[in-house]
Amino acid sequence: MNQNKLVENVTSRDEDFAQWYTDLCLKAELMDYSDVKGFIIYRPYGYAIWEGIQKYLDQKFKETGHENVYMPLVIPESLFQKEKDHVEGFAPETAMITTTGVEELSERLIIRPTSETLFCTHYQKIINSYRDLPKKYNQWCSVVRWEKTTRPFLRGKEFLWQEGHTVHQTEEEARKETLDMLDIYTDLGKELLAIPFVTGRKTEKEKFAGAVETYSIEALMHDGQALQSGTTHYFGQEFSKAFDIKFQDERNKFQFAYQTSWGVSTRLIGAVIMVHGDNEGLVLPPYIAPTQIIIIPIQGKKESVKQATETLYTSLKDLGYRVKIDDSNKSPGWKFSEYEMKGVPIRIEIGPRDLERNEVVVVTRHNREKTAYQVEDVASNMKDILKDMHEKMYQNALDHVNKNTYEASTYDEFKELIKKGGYVAMSISGEEAELQIKADTTATARVIPFEQKLITKICPVTGEKAIQTVWFARAY
Amino acid sequence: MNQNKLVENVTSRDEDFAQWYTDLCLKAELMDYSDVKGFIIYRPYGYAIWEGIQKYLDQKFKETGHENVYMPLVIPESLFQKEKDHVEGFAPETAMITTTGVEELSERLIIRPTSETLFCTHYQKIINSYRDLPKKYNQWCSVVRWEKTTRPFLRGKEFLWQEGHTVHQTEEEARKETLDMLDIYTDLGKELLAIPFVTGRKTEKEKFAGAVETYSIEALMHDGQALQSGTTHYFGQEFSKAFDIKFQDERNKFQFAYQTSWGVSTRLIGAVIMVHGDNEGLVLPPYIAPTQIIIIPIQGKKESVKQATETLYTSLKDLGYRVKIDDSNKSPGWKFSEYEMKGVPIRIEIGPRDLERNEVVVVTRHNREKTAYQVEDVASNMKDILKDMHEKMYQNALDHVNKNTYEASTYDEFKELIKKGGYVAMSISGEEAELQIKADTTATARVIPFEQKLITKICPVTGEKAIQTVWFARAY
């Protein structure tokens, strides 16, 4: 087999970003297509990334007083229709069970596209007093949305996610929860995925069906397109009024509760690929990588190589690193290409000549730099090597955001800048401008940043008074 | 509120076991019903038990070389029909998506009742050579089976489970996997759930649709009925031939692969309730209990009580125990009943009078025994207290099995014994006897034990030659 076969099959990132992405998803064995369009198979290497995200978030959720539950897969059609905006937003994408192997159902059952209606029905039953509040539940599950165009991880008919649903006594507490969870998502980017998320509020047009306010974490892909990577919603009393979720307060007065929901999905796997990947393949941030270190013995049958390989493997394993040895009979060059393509952060080459100098070679995937280490120094330095790699990858991604974020004072300027990719900030008058921009450029409002400063007093699109600065981008 | 209200609402176990069970599921807040019959809500306390099972098994699976994946929720009807026995077994219980909010589907999609067909299709694509084997995948998900009569955790239209699916080069290896996984399930009972599972092979009549052989772990409930609590299946080449899963062996010859599957579900929660529960409520084995220790301060506003409570809480927490304080203004008696009903293994009462003697009272749920401990001895003794409790609970359950396992030499004897509840072993001639027994007594064949010894040479039911000894029981 040709030494570079694997890599040759992956399209160049700079020639065709979309094809490069799909190639990588398949060749790196993150996923495969199933027999039903839009439903993908999460293969071990891809699912392990999701498990890493789950482990990080589940711990954070529990530390902040959230409990896991599991709600039914199905929602009766009549229940789904209780909150007007919500049903309007989701109805076209719903998949429905209408029959079993032997009989038709009396009511159509919607496969959950999201579970607000189920949580609300349950909350209505179990919440009576202020003593029952807050309720802070989370669920790990899959949801189904009948999307027309689908892409691995980014948009599918089924995806895996977590959905948090909370109930509070006061608006203040619910608003705080909405922002606290946004912080946890931001930390996920900073600490695990090496992705600097841009955060802010969504415009009225872009917010979640049924929410008073939606907040978002947005990631900027290498090609300059943005990816909404997670959202948190403040519902106010919209759902509690539709579902009659009331509690008796300390003065025995009935009040409608305040609610939130928030979620991230396997879409994050897509973000990791498109933020960090390069022409050689995946580049996985070290703390999320399913395999952090691959050890490749050169002339592995030599006793000295064999022994050094085993010793180093054991010491790294004992320190808790996710480490593997590849002593198969493929050529070293083939293996180098394979693990580069799979984005394994650290490759350690152990060969007889280096060993004579008591050295091994450590190659870091993100910059493909080779460093010789004394054998006994590798394990003790690994913590710092991975930390440095994580920080550099985060900084690179942040540099990419900073280099590709612009301000526009005129609409012509905006149109020029948006073509280059990246975020363009502009101060606009409202939804009319937003719609015009989308029609003219396909760019959409990503977020209204928390820190607000008007660039111009007049909206360059409508000529009316500008009321807020919004970050626009073309998006997945 | 009446001090014993919670307990009074739970039916006596000995008066009406079925009602006692359902009462406990609801009152202990393990689950709730949803708007769709047969679909339950797993509440935090119930879901946490499942999380404990997941954590234990997931680690065992990974230690033994299994990898997690996620397959689609849906199976095209045509794909489902590929393996004849399999489709016959499951077709009547299948729920089907036939339409979306806007259009009818061209092919009906079955919500997975089990995922053999999906795994097989994928394996067919990715397995080419003996070098690709074994493949040992597992999936955590929910499945849907349109059962007519449903009971919380025991039988539902949707339940949570894991399903392992493996592919091997040889019959020997696949058979070993089938039995190795049965061992892991047996250990789960022994080490985590304090349930002594009876294991063995299923009869032809009771085996899984499409399997060559099915093995089972069976638990004996307090009322003498058995509960099939998990199964492992050896498929031979049945599925590999139906799905064309071939590999090239070392001599470049194509061979059909050998397969297994195995699963346990949230039904195990039902087993824990019905094996260990008593008239006061749940009794949770200490290693699976979501809350292991509840500390109840008596006259909690006294500074000495407050301080002792905090100190003890912190030291137990630091040792890694799942511990909570209840300092709410409910009466101590009410709290005692509540946590007994919820089956919390250890209750620690901290009151001013005991504290004067530097003591606190530790109450163990399984035997409701009170022991006074010196304050500083509680944390250091906790490991032994829990270990002793776990072993006693396991032994109690094992005694129950031993006391309720009989041998029958005549059919009249069998009929008498089966009425008493428990297992009755009888040596039978085959399926004809099995069908007759079911028709006469409703008892079913639970397992053919691994250690075989004929009780009689002639089958007491058919008068023909007895070929094997089978354990029968009435079962959930």
Side-chain angles (χ1 to χ4, degrees):
Chain A
M1 195 181 276
N2 184 310
Q3 188 167 303
N4 292 309
K5 182 168 181 294
L6 277 161
V7 176
E8 280 172 17
N9 280 351
V10 176
T11 308
S12 154
R13 182 183 64 171
D14 303 313
E15 273 170 32
D16 186 343
F17 192 78
Q19 191 59 46
W20 166 85
Y21 174 77
T22 313
D23 280 0
L24 266 192
C25 287
L26 289 166
K27 304 279 172 195
E29 301 185 349
L30 296 170
M31 51 70 66
D32 199 358
Y33 297 110
S34 80
D35 285 352
V36 184
K37 199 179 159 293
F39 287 79
I40 66 167
I41 292 161
Y42 294 77
R43 298 187 67 177
Y45 200 53
Y47 194 80
I49 295 175
W50 182 236
E51 285 185 304
I53 292 169
Q54 285 189 304
K55 194 175 164 194
Y56 177 96
L57 286 179
D58 202 65
Q59 191 183 330
K60 294 271 177 186
F61 293 163
K62 283 174 177 158
E63 281 169 8
T64 48
H66 299 86
E67 299 177 290
N68 283 333
V69 298
Y70 184 78
M71 292 283 160
L73 174 71
V74 295
I75 308 169
E77 198 173 7
S78 57
L79 174 62
F80 195 72
Q81 291 165 342
K82 268 197 170 177
E83 210 287 335
K84 191 176 58 64
D85 294 334
H86 189 64
V87 65
E88 274 176 22
F90 281 103
E93 309 181 344
T94 52
M96 296 192 242
I97 301 178
T98 63
T99 188
T100 72
V102 290
E103 59 178 351
E104 293 214 354
L105 304 187
S106 57
E107 181 176 10
R108 305 202 291 189
L109 299 175
I110 291 170
I111 308 292
R112 62 179 166 228
T114 179
S115 306
E116 273 73 12
T117 53
L118 296 168
F119 277 86
C120 283
T121 307
H122 182 57
Y123 281 140
Q124 193 276 328
K125 276 176 79 174
I126 66 168
I127 291 168
N128 297 296
S129 154
Y130 71 93
R131 287 186 201 88
D132 299 325
L133 296 178
K135 282 274 182 269
K136 306 205 290 182
Y137 289 174
N138 174 64
Q139 152 166 304
W140 295 96
C141 64
S142 84
V143 290
V144 170
R145 298 178 185 178
W146 219 260
E147 304 275 0
K148 275 181 207 123
T149 51
T150 59
R151 297 183 67 181
F153 302 122
L154 301 180
R155 196 174 293 277
K157 289 200 171 77
E158 181 188 22
F159 57 85
L160 299 170
W161 80 343
Q162 60 70 217
E163 46 179 325
H165 297 268
T166 70
V167 191
H168 307 267
Q169 289 186 53
T170 64
E171 171 173 349
E172 188 190 358
E173 195 182 295
R175 283 191 181 276
K176 183 174 182 304
E177 170 82 5
T178 314
L179 295 177
D180 284 351
M181 300 323 288
L182 196 71
D183 283 346
I184 284 180
Y185 291 158
T186 308
D187 290 346
L188 171 76
K190 201 174 287 176
E191 296 172 2
L192 194 72
L193 308 179
I195 297 180
F197 290 121
V198 164
T199 61
R201 191 158 54 83
K202 285 280 177 188
T203 60
E204 283 300 301
K205 183 180 168 302
E206 298 288 333
K207 75 181 191 186
F208 180 79
V212 172
E213 272 166 17
T214 290
Y215 299 87
S216 168
I217 51 169
E218 302 276 330
L220 192 63
M221 306 300 98
H222 182 80
D223 69 345
Q225 290 204 62
L227 182 75
Q228 178 178 304
S229 305
T231 46
T232 75
H233 314 291
Y234 168 67
F235 285 138
Q237 298 174 314
E238 300 292 313
F239 278 89
S240 67
K241 285 179 176 165
F243 286 83
D244 199 31
I245 304 171
K246 283 189 296 228
F247 65 95
Q248 228 172 346
D249 68 15
E250 295 190 47
R251 287 158 303 172
N252 293 323
K253 235 186 91 185
F254 279 102
Q255 306 258 15
F256 285 108
Y258 296 84
Q259 291 176 267
T260 84
S261 81
W262 28 274
V264 296
S265 75
T266 35
R267 177 172 254 211
L268 287 169
I269 300 172
V272 168
I273 301 168
M274 292 198 294
V275 167
H276 300 299
D278 64 19
N279 275 323
E280 273 66 53
L282 290 184
V283 183
L284 294 180
Y287 300 136
I288 188 69
T291 301
Q292 297 175 303
I293 304 160
I294 183 74
I295 304 178
I296 300 180
I298 321 281
Q299 300 179 37
K301 280 181 186 141
K302 288 210 171 159
E303 197 49 44
S304 63
V305 173
K306 212 168 180 174
Q307 208 175 315
T309 301
E310 281 300 330
T311 307
L312 189 52
Y313 172 82
T314 306
S315 59
L316 289 166
K317 187 95 188 161
D318 289 349
L319 287 167
Y321 297 109
R322 297 184 290 273
V323 54
K324 284 188 178 172
I325 298 170
D326 187 346
D327 55 5
S328 68
N329 53 18
K330 296 170 193 163
S331 77
W334 198 94
K335 292 179 190 174
F336 297 170
S337 297
E338 181 178 15
Y339 293 105
E340 287 201 342
M341 193 269 291
K342 291 196 121 184
V344 174
I346 302 285
R347 175 174 87 229
I348 301 177
E349 306 169 5
I350 303 185
R353 252 179 300 173
D354 292 329
L355 276 183
E356 278 168 23
R357 291 190 303 276
N358 193 38
E359 284 179 356
V360 298
V361 173
V362 173
V363 188
T364 44
R365 174 65 183 89
H366 69 300
N367 56 10
R368 303 178 82 203
E369 273 177 22
K370 293 187 174 208
T371 311
Y373 279 85
Q374 293 286 297
V375 171
E376 63 274 16
D377 290 345
V378 177
S380 57
N381 275 287
M382 194 48 69
K383 196 178 164 185
D384 289 336
I385 297 173
L386 295 183
K387 184 165 179 281
D388 181 64
M389 177 182 280
H390 176 83
E391 285 167 0
K392 291 238 165 67
M393 286 180 71
Y394 182 82
Q395 191 57 48
N396 283 346
L398 185 60
D399 291 345
H400 181 66
V401 173
N402 290 336
K403 261 184 256 165
N404 293 283
T405 302
Y406 313 95
E407 290 190 351
S409 308
T410 70
Y411 196 23
D412 283 342
E413 192 182 3
F414 179 91
K415 286 177 186 165
E416 276 309 303
L417 289 167
I418 209 79
K419 273 188 214 157
K420 299 166 73 170
Y423 299 111
V424 184
M426 187 158 62
S427 299
I428 62 164
S429 57
E431 194 157 321
E432 192 193 338
E434 207 181 327
L435 290 166
Q436 191 62 51
I437 288 166
K438 191 172 180 189
D440 294 342
T441 69
T442 75
T444 49
R446 303 321 304 158
V447 292
I448 307 165
F450 291 109
E451 281 184 35
Q452 276 288 320
K453 203 192 74 185
L454 286 183
I455 301 164
T456 57
K457 286 182 181 168
I458 300 295
C459 169
V461 183
T462 62
E464 287 167 30
K465 192 178 172 224
I467 57 161
Q468 60 194 4
T469 299
V470 177
W471 285 31
F472 288 87
R474 291 198 177 117
Y476 280 94
Chain B
M1 196 181 276
N2 183 311
Q3 187 169 305
N4 292 308
K5 184 168 179 296
L6 278 163
V7 176
E8 279 172 18
N9 280 352
V10 176
T11 308
S12 154
R13 182 184 61 171
D14 303 314
E15 274 171 31
D16 185 344
F17 192 78
Q19 190 60 48
W20 165 84
Y21 175 76
T22 313
D23 281 0
L24 267 192
C25 287
L26 289 165
K27 304 279 171 193
E29 300 184 348
L30 295 170
M31 52 69 67
D32 199 359
Y33 297 110
S34 81
D35 285 353
V36 184
K37 199 176 157 296
F39 286 80
I40 66 168
I41 292 162
Y42 294 78
R43 299 187 66 178
Y45 200 53
Y47 194 79
I49 296 176
W50 183 236
E51 285 185 303
I53 293 169
Q54 285 189 305
K55 195 175 163 193
Y56 176 95
L57 286 180
D58 202 66
Q59 192 182 328
K60 294 271 178 186
F61 294 163
K62 283 174 177 157
E63 281 169 8
T64 48
H66 299 86
E67 299 177 289
N68 283 333
V69 298
Y70 184 78
M71 291 282 158
L73 175 70
V74 296
I75 308 169
E77 199 174 7
S78 57
L79 175 61
F80 195 71
Q81 292 164 342
K82 268 199 173 178
E83 209 287 336
K84 190 177 57 67
D85 293 334
H86 189 64
V87 65
E88 274 176 21
F90 282 104
E93 312 182 339
T94 52
M96 296 192 240
I97 303 178
T98 62
T99 187
T100 73
V102 290
E103 58 178 351
E104 294 212 356
L105 304 188
S106 57
E107 180 176 11
R108 306 201 292 188
L109 299 175
I110 291 171
I111 308 292
R112 63 177 165 228
T114 180
S115 305
E116 273 74 10
T117 53
L118 296 167
F119 277 86
C120 284
T121 308
H122 182 58
Y123 281 141
Q124 193 277 328
K125 276 176 77 173
I126 65 169
I127 292 169
N128 296 297
S129 153
Y130 71 93
R131 288 186 201 86
D132 300 324
L133 296 177
K135 283 274 183 266
K136 305 206 290 182
Y137 289 174
N138 175 64
Q139 151 166 305
W140 295 96
C141 64
S142 84
V143 290
V144 170
R145 298 178 185 178
W146 219 260
E147 303 275 359
K148 274 180 206 123
T149 51
T150 61
R151 298 184 66 183
F153 302 123
L154 301 181
R155 195 175 293 277
K157 288 200 172 77
E158 181 189 22
F159 58 86
L160 300 169
W161 80 345
Q162 59 69 215
E163 46 180 323
H165 297 267
T166 68
V167 191
H168 308 266
Q169 289 186 52
T170 63
E171 170 173 350
E172 187 190 358
E173 195 183 295
R175 284 191 180 277
K176 182 174 183 303
E177 170 83 5
T178 313
L179 295 177
D180 284 351
M181 301 323 288
L182 196 72
D183 283 346
I184 285 181
Y185 291 158
T186 309
D187 290 346
L188 170 77
K190 202 173 286 175
E191 295 173 3
L192 194 72
L193 308 178
I195 297 179
F197 290 121
V198 164
T199 60
R201 190 159 55 84
K202 286 279 177 189
T203 60
E204 282 301 299
K205 184 181 167 300
E206 298 288 331
K207 74 180 192 186
F208 180 80
V212 172
E213 271 165 21
T214 290
Y215 298 87
S216 166
I217 51 168
E218 302 275 329
L220 192 63
M221 306 298 99
H222 182 81
D223 69 345
Q225 289 204 63
L227 182 75
Q228 178 178 305
S229 304
T231 45
T232 74
H233 313 291
Y234 168 66
F235 285 138
Q237 298 174 315
E238 300 291 313
F239 279 90
S240 68
K241 284 180 177 167
F243 286 84
D244 198 33
I245 304 172
K246 283 188 299 228
F247 66 95
Q248 228 171 346
D249 68 15
E250 295 189 46
R251 287 158 305 172
N252 293 322
K253 234 185 93 185
F254 279 103
Q255 307 258 14
F256 285 107
Y258 295 83
Q259 291 177 266
T260 83
S261 82
W262 29 273
V264 296
S265 74
T266 36
R267 177 172 254 211
L268 287 169
I269 300 173
V272 168
I273 301 168
M274 293 199 292
V275 167
H276 300 299
D278 64 20
N279 274 320
E280 275 66 52
L282 290 183
V283 183
L284 294 179
Y287 301 135
I288 188 69
T291 301
Q292 297 174 302
I293 305 161
I294 183 72
I295 303 179
I296 300 180
I298 321 282
Q299 299 177 42
K301 280 180 184 142
K302 286 210 174 158
E303 197 49 45
S304 63
V305 174
K306 210 169 181 169
Q307 211 175 310
T309 301
E310 281 300 332
T311 307
L312 189 52
Y313 172 83
T314 306
S315 59
L316 288 167
K317 187 96 187 161
D318 289 350
L319 287 168
Y321 296 110
R322 298 184 290 272
V323 55
K324 285 189 177 171
I325 297 170
D326 186 346
D327 55 5
S328 68
N329 52 17
K330 295 170 193 162
S331 76
W334 198 94
K335 291 179 191 173
F336 296 170
S337 296
E338 182 179 15
Y339 294 105
E340 288 202 339
M341 194 269 291
K342 292 196 119 183
V344 175
I346 303 284
R347 175 173 89 227
I348 302 177
E349 307 169 7
I350 303 185
R353 253 181 298 172
D354 292 329
L355 276 183
E356 277 167 23
R357 290 190 303 276
N358 192 38
E359 285 179 357
V360 297
V361 173
V362 173
V363 189
T364 42
R365 174 65 183 91
H366 68 300
N367 55 10
R368 303 178 81 203
E369 273 178 21
K370 293 185 174 210
T371 312
Y373 277 86
Q374 294 285 299
V375 171
E376 61 275 15
D377 290 345
V378 177
S380 57
N381 275 286
M382 193 49 69
K383 194 177 164 189
D384 289 337
I385 298 173
L386 295 183
K387 184 166 179 279
D388 182 63
M389 177 182 278
H390 176 83
E391 285 167 1
K392 290 237 167 65
M393 287 180 70
Y394 181 82
Q395 190 57 49
N396 283 345
L398 185 58
D399 290 346
H400 182 65
V401 173
N402 290 335
K403 262 185 253 165
N404 293 283
T405 303
Y406 312 96
E407 289 190 351
S409 308
T410 70
Y411 195 23
D412 283 342
E413 193 184 2
F414 180 90
K415 285 177 186 164
E416 275 311 301
L417 289 166
I418 208 80
K419 273 189 210 154
K420 299 165 75 170
Y423 299 110
V424 184
M426 189 158 61
S427 300
I428 62 164
S429 58
E431 193 157 321
E432 192 193 338
E434 207 182 326
L435 290 165
Q436 190 63 50
I437 288 167
K438 191 172 179 189
D440 293 342
T441 68
T442 75
T444 48
R446 305 320 304 158
V447 293
I448 306 164
F450 290 109
E451 283 184 32
Q452 276 287 318
K453 202 192 74 183
L454 287 183
I455 302 164
T456 57
K457 286 183 182 166
I458 300 296
C459 169
V461 184
T462 61
E464 287 166 31
K465 191 177 172 227
I467 57 160
Q468 60 194 4
T469 298
V470 177
W471 286 31
F472 287 86
R474 291 199 177 114
Y476 281 95

